[in-house]
Each structure stands twice: as C-alpha cells, then as structure tokens.
Amino acid sequence: MSDNVFYRSVRKKYHVVERGDGIYLYDQAGKRYIDACSGSAVSNIGHGNPKVIAALTAQAQKVAFTHLSRWTSEPLQKLADMVAEMAPGSLNKLYLVSGGSEATESALKMARQYYLERDGASNKYKVISRWKTFHGNTIGALSMTGDNRRKKYTPLLLDFPKISPPYCYRCAYGNEPSSCGMDCAWELERVLNLVGAESVAAFIAEPVIGAASGAVVPPDGYFKVIREICDRHDILFIADEVMTGFGRTGSMFAMEQFGVVPDLITVAKGMSAGYVPLGGVVVKDEIYETFKKGSGVFVHGHTYGGNPLAAAVAVAVLEVLQEENLVENSRVMGQYLLEQLGEKLSGSPFIGDIRGRGLMQGVELVRDKATKAPFDPKLNVAEKATNVLMEHGVVVYPGTGAADGVAGDHFLLAPPLIITREQVDDLVQRMVSAFGELDQSLAN
Ligand SMILES: Cc1ncc(COP(=O)(O)O)c(C=O)c1O
C-alpha cells in the first residue's frame, strides 16, 4: 500500500475498491457492498454500465480533448440540446465545467456579470444563501456554504449573508408544521431590507438539502415565497441541483416538485453519473441574451469545460436515464424505501428522523428522541454508524453539525436509481441488522 496518497482523513484506513457492478461495489477481498449513497449521490445509473463504457471508448478513440475557446463538438451540442429539453421553462443554455464547486462558483460569477451587462454599472455582487447547506469547497462556493466545512477558512471567505434553512425537524422559529408561517423563507426579505437589495445579485439554495443536513425537504410553498421575494427585489434565484438534478429526488429536477422555475440551475454529479468529472450551469435564455447583447463574453472558464469526452459520456448517461425510466424508478423506489425505513427502523431509540424525496433520504441520529438532543460530537456517532453499516455491506454518506453547527449526526441514503424492490428489501434488512448492533453500542 502506497504511503504517498494525501487522503482527506490522513489517519483513516480506507477500503480498497476493486470493481463496481450495478448497485454494488466489491473490495479486493471480494466482499460485496450495496453502494447505498452512490458515492455522494453521483453514480445514479449504477456502476459498469456497458452503454456508457462503449460511448466513452468510442469518443476517446475519436478525440478526447479540445479547448472550448477554439472548438465545439457534436457531443457537446447534443448534450446541450438534451439538457435544454429536460430543464424547465426557458432554461435552455448550458455552460459546462468539471464539477459541482466549479458550477456554483460559475453561477456566482455569472450572476455578478449579468447585472453589469444589463445595467452598465452595478453594485450587485452578494449571494445570499442558507445555514446548514453545502455549495462546494472553492472559496466562492464555500462563501455560499453554511456548514462546518467553512470554519477554518473564515478569513478567506466573502462576507455573504445567510438565512435559516427550512429544517422542520429543528425549526429555527420553534414552529410546528401546523403553526408554520414560513418564517424561514420571509427571513430572506428581512435580510434584503437590512443589507440592501442593490448589493445583492442572487439567492442560492439546494431544493432538498443534501450533504450538510441529510435530505431536508422544505415545506410546501417555501420556494414560492422565495421566488416572489427574488422577483420583487430584482435578484436571481439559483437552484443548486448538483445533488438533486437528473432524477435523484424522483423528478428530472427537484425544483419541478415545488412549482417554481429558477433563473439558473447548477448541475454536476448525476449528469455524468461518475464516469467522468462534469458540472455545469443551466441558464435562462433571457440571461444568455443579456450577455449576447452586452459585451458578448462571459469572463470565466476552466480548461476542461465542455470537452468532447465528458460531453459524450453525459449524453450516454442521460440516454440511459431516459431509456430505463430511472426518474420514475427513483420516485417509486424512493417512496418504498422511505416506508420501509419508517416501518423497520423507526423503533431504534437513536433514530430521530427519517426524511427525503425520491432516492435521496436522510437518517438523523439523536441521543434522546423526546428532546431531539444530539450526541456529544466527540463520540463521532455518524462515523461509527457508517463503519458498522459498512461491516454489514452497506455504504452510506455521513455528515455532522446539522443540530447546532457542531453537534448533530446524520447519514444520507442515495442508492443508484436502478435499484429494484428486492434490492431495497435487502438494503433495509442489512440496516436493521446493523442497527441491532449499533443501538447496543450507543446505549452503553
Ligand atoms: C448541492 C451541492 N453543491 C455543490 C457541491 C460541490 O460539488 P463538487 O464536490 O463536485 O465540487 C456538492 C457536493 O456534494 C453539492 O452536494
């Protein structure tokens, strides 16, 4: 084993993956695991898809790389047409990069330049976002992020305002669903009044909050309030669908379920399903036209953005998504998984909440279900749960800090969208066995 890899966690011992097939991953000893989080909601069409491997090989044989400043290609144009067809409203223009952080960083810069193009001079540059959300790790993206990944870098970050998330299990306003007046959405208006909308270019939000909070779904009507406030104050609404896009929550884009059309949608993960690094921003025609009528140049770009290999892979991935009806499978299997988890696991004394949409679900672990008190962060409960589940052949995506910024343990379940009913049953059965063990160790 090489000592020369700089892992995220430098003291941890990592499992060595050998291969992947469908929803399964195999280690070098031949042990099989259900990839119950698709890495981080990435491998949406499963591992080892022959159609995608064939498309990747064929394109690599033709030409793998050309720079977007001098060349376009057939796969790139095909991909843009497919995404325009899938995206809502007039979101028809696709700007490509190589991952989620580059996508949100690009959206931030696009929002800033849009107002310069439209108005000539503009003071609009701030992006308002929400606490307990994740938009990426580069400096602009981290400035919009509202979780514990930002703390060590605070001096480097842009001073962007944040509002409370729609985290109903731990409502910032102490409301119950029956008394919810959507205070957390109206907070956007109060913050705009305080900072001045003339300095604000955009508001960014994940439709269903992923990594930072574990599949937090907003109450009905939340995004309608957000959209109305953005329109009234002349700020753009960016939906960060890096995790939720391309079927993860049971519709092509999660925003469809909330009846609201954003101005920009950031995408990544599911667009190439892990077969190549890829990200992008889907943009409304009106915004694109403003650039066209203005300077004609978006002053931004990354070397690998829009390369033919990545585009050809994404075309094949999205064809599989459509041909195999995986968005609908995500909706149906997601509902089944949620019901099964509720039925078979909510008896655990340490599972406080099970929530989510489609095949994006979160399990929040608490020390006391009645008070919702979180575990002491020193106990590393999310990590502990992940390790026990892994011994039982289930890979999940853990997270911390959702309760109060430091304490709080959850994990995400986001299996490949190809999962069958029998495989959901197997997954839940393995989780029941793992929690039998975990509940005992947490009780001691
Ligand atoms: C909603 C969201 N935005 C942005 C990102 C950043 O993406 P990447 O890790 O590809 O840079 C992530 C990654 O998990 C994400 O979930």
Side-chain angles (χ1 to χ4, degrees):
M1 280 276 259
S2 169
D3 282 335
N4 294 327
V5 181
F6 195 149
Y7 296 100
R8 285 197 188 190
S9 186
V10 296
R11 281 200 287 269
K12 188 172 151 177
K13 284 266 168 280
Y14 288 86
H15 295 254
V16 185
V17 69
E18 180 64 22
R19 66 188 182 89
D21 182 10
I23 69 158
Y24 300 109
L25 290 170
Y26 296 81
D27 69 15
Q28 284 190 318
K31 178 170 171 178
R32 192 178 83 169
Y33 303 79
I34 298 175
D35 187 1
C37 55
S38 303
S40 58
V42 172
S43 305
N44 284 8
I45 62 160
H47 301 279
N49 186 287
K51 177 167 176 163
V52 177
I53 295 167
L56 191 153
T57 311
Q59 187 58 46
Q61 280 166 346
K62 279 196 205 165
V63 57
F65 181 79
T66 50
H67 198 280
L68 201 57
S69 62
R70 272 142 297 174
W71 292 95
T72 185
S73 66
E74 237 174 73
L76 173 61
Q77 292 174 30
K78 183 155 187 204
L79 176 62
D81 287 348
M82 286 178 88
V83 173
E85 190 66 31
M86 291 167 169
S90 68
L91 284 117
N92 291 322
K93 300 290 182 281
L94 178 65
Y95 182 86
L96 284 178
V97 291
S98 298
S101 302
E102 282 186 8
T104 55
E105 196 89 23
S106 302
L108 151 64
K109 290 175 74 176
M110 208 178 268
R112 162 66 181 158
Q113 200 186 325
Y114 164 74
Y115 285 105
L116 290 176
E117 299 291 336
R118 194 192 73 176
D119 301 340
S122 175
N123 288 328
K124 281 169 148 334
Y125 70 96
K126 289 179 189 157
V127 178
I128 300 181
S129 58
R130 305 174 303 176
W131 293 111
K132 296 176 183 170
T133 65
F134 182 58
H135 298 294
N137 273 321
T138 53
I139 296 302
L142 199 58
S143 301
M144 300 185 283
T145 286
D147 83 343
N148 50 19
R149 290 168 179 84
R150 49 181 283 133
K151 201 165 165 186
K152 287 192 164 61
Y153 302 102
T154 303
L156 300 173
L157 299 182
L158 299 159
D159 190 14
F160 286 167
K162 307 270 176 298
I163 64 170
S164 308
Y167 184 12
C168 301
Y169 182 64
R170 297 181 187 279
C171 175
Y173 291 88
N175 291 329
E176 294 297 325
S178 54
S179 61
C180 174
M182 224 78 84
D183 292 301
C184 58
W186 290 109
E187 199 178 317
L188 176 59
E189 177 123 65
R190 292 194 288 279
V191 169
L192 281 167
N193 289 341
L194 288 169
V195 301
E198 64 281 2
S199 69
V200 179
F203 173 73
I204 187 168
E206 297 168 74
V208 176
I209 308 172
S213 299
V216 163
V217 183
D220 285 346
Y222 172 85
F223 279 113
K224 292 214 162 115
V225 174
I226 294 289
R227 176 77 266 184
E228 191 272 318
I229 296 170
C230 288
D231 288 344
R232 197 153 33 78
H233 289 272
D234 183 26
I235 65 174
L236 298 174
F237 171 34
I238 306 167
D240 182 355
E241 297 232 22
V242 163
M243 192 174 270
T244 54
F246 301 106
R248 173 53 60 194
T249 66
S251 51
M252 189 56 81
F253 291 96
M255 281 312 298
E256 287 166 32
Q257 296 180 45
F258 304 112
V260 161
V261 179
D263 300 302
L264 303 113
I265 300 180
T266 52
V267 290
K269 302 176 186 279
M271 180 161 50
S272 60
Y275 287 88
V276 286
L278 187 62
V281 189
V282 194
V283 185
K284 264 189 177 166
D285 286 334
E286 299 90 297
I287 295 176
Y288 177 84
E289 290 303 323
T290 304
F291 277 82
K292 207 167 167 184
K293 283 192 209 111
S295 70
V297 180
F298 177 32
V299 188
H300 184 59
H302 296 278
T303 297
Y304 289 104
N307 71 77
L309 183 67
V313 166
V315 166
V317 165
L318 298 184
E319 281 173 356
V320 170
L321 194 74
Q322 289 180 316
E323 285 159 14
E324 298 186 15
N325 212 10
L326 298 183
V327 180
E328 175 64 3
N329 198 55
S330 171
R331 190 183 68 77
V332 176
M333 285 303 125
Q335 190 56 40
Y336 181 59
L337 176 60
L338 194 62
E339 280 161 23
Q340 289 299 302
L341 290 172
E343 199 176 295
K344 309 246 162 68
L345 275 160
S346 57
S348 159
F350 303 112
I351 294 185
D353 197 24
I354 303 171
R355 56 190 174 233
R357 274 286 163 86
L359 283 170
M360 177 167 168
Q361 288 168 24
V363 176
E364 180 160 344
L365 304 168
V366 291
R367 180 170 55 74
D368 184 326
K369 272 167 99 149
T371 63
K372 303 182 182 174
F375 284 100
D376 181 341
K378 288 198 206 80
L379 296 175
N380 290 326
V381 167
E383 188 67 24
K384 208 173 264 176
T386 303
N387 292 340
V388 173
L389 283 158
M390 201 126 175
E391 281 164 26
H392 287 260
V394 174
V395 193
V396 299
Y397 184 22
T400 59
D404 66 5
V406 180
D409 296 275
H410 66 263
F411 59 82
L412 258 189
L413 289 169
L417 311 185
I418 56 171
I419 197 165
T420 63
R421 206 177 167 88
E422 293 69 36
Q423 289 170 331
V424 170
D425 290 337
D426 183 26
L427 166 62
V428 173
Q429 201 41 54
R430 284 168 187 275
M431 290 181 70
V432 169
S433 309
F435 268 87
E437 209 173 289
L438 199 62
D439 286 347
Q440 283 203 348
S441 90
L442 292 177
N444 296 322

